[in-house]
Amino acid sequence: MPMALVVNGERHEVDVPAEMPLLWVIRDVIGLTGTKYGCGIAQCGACTVHIDGEAVRSCITAVGDVTGKVTTIEGLSVSGSDHPLQRAWAEHNVPQCGYCQAGQIMQAAAFLAETPKPTDEQIDQAMDGNICRCGTYQRIRAAIKSAAGTI
C-alpha cells in the first residue's frame, strides 16, 4: 500500500503493507539502521523512536497507523551526535555494548522534553521500560541528569 511518511524531516514514499511494523520500514525500506530490533514485543525499548515528540516502540507500531512526524536517533540532532543527551552519554561513558543506547536516548529525550528538571525517581520511572543488558543504569541516570543540568 503506497503511503507517505515523514522521517527526520524528510518525506518518504513507501509501498509496504499497512500492518508492517514501523521499525522495519525505518530500517529496511528507508535504510536508517540506528533504531534497533530487540524483542519485537515492546518490552525492551531498543526500537524507541518519536512520533510527534512522543516516545513509541516502533516494533509494534504499524506503519499504517503513523500519522505524525517520525524522528529516529539519526534525526535527534542536526549532526546526528550533538544533542545534549548524546554528548552526556559520551561524557558519562554510558555505552558498553551500545545496542540499546539509541532507544535509551530517544526515551530520555522525550522524557526530558516533558520533565526538564527530573528527580532520580522520575528518571528511573520514565526509563523503566528500557532494558540495558550491560546494566549501565547508574550511568544512564547520570547522563540524563547531566543533560538536564541537574547535577
Side-chain angles (χ1 to χ4, degrees):
M1 172 179 171
M3 63 187 82
L5 196 60
V6 177
V7 179
N8 300 333
E10 186 176 325
R11 183 181 168 89
H12 296 270
E13 297 292 332
V14 297
D15 189 5
V16 297
E19 65 275 3
M20 178 181 260
L22 176 60
L23 173 64
W24 300 126
V25 175
I26 291 168
R27 290 183 58 82
D28 296 344
V29 178
I30 297 173
L32 298 172
T33 58
T35 305
K36 303 300 184 202
Y37 173 78
C39 66
I41 57 172
Q43 297 298 302
C44 74
C47 68
T48 303
V49 299
H50 296 171
I51 299 178
D52 288 338
E54 181 180 339
V56 298
R57 303 297 199 251
S58 63
C59 70
I60 62 161
T61 302
V63 69
D65 292 338
V66 176
T67 58
K69 295 178 182 177
V70 177
T71 304
T72 68
I73 191 69
E74 292 93 344
L76 192 59
S77 67
V78 175
S79 76
S81 63
D82 65 351
H83 186 279
L85 279 164
Q86 291 168 315
R87 289 194 311 267
W89 243 245
E91 177 185 320
H92 291 275
N93 297 311
V94 173
Q96 277 187 218
C97 81
Y99 196 80
C100 71
Q101 299 309 304
Q104 297 276 359
I105 290 170
M106 295 304 288
Q107 181 70 35
F111 166 63
L112 285 180
E114 291 193 12
T115 311
K117 300 292 182 192
T119 64
D120 286 353
E121 184 178 308
Q122 289 171 315
I123 293 169
D124 292 347
Q125 184 177 13
M127 300 302 293
D128 186 47
N130 288 72
I131 296 171
C132 174
R133 292 180 183 181
C134 299
T136 65
Y137 298 110
Q138 291 178 340
R139 287 183 271 174
I140 290 168
R141 185 190 309 128
I144 293 169
K145 289 172 69 171
S146 179
T150 57
I151 60 170

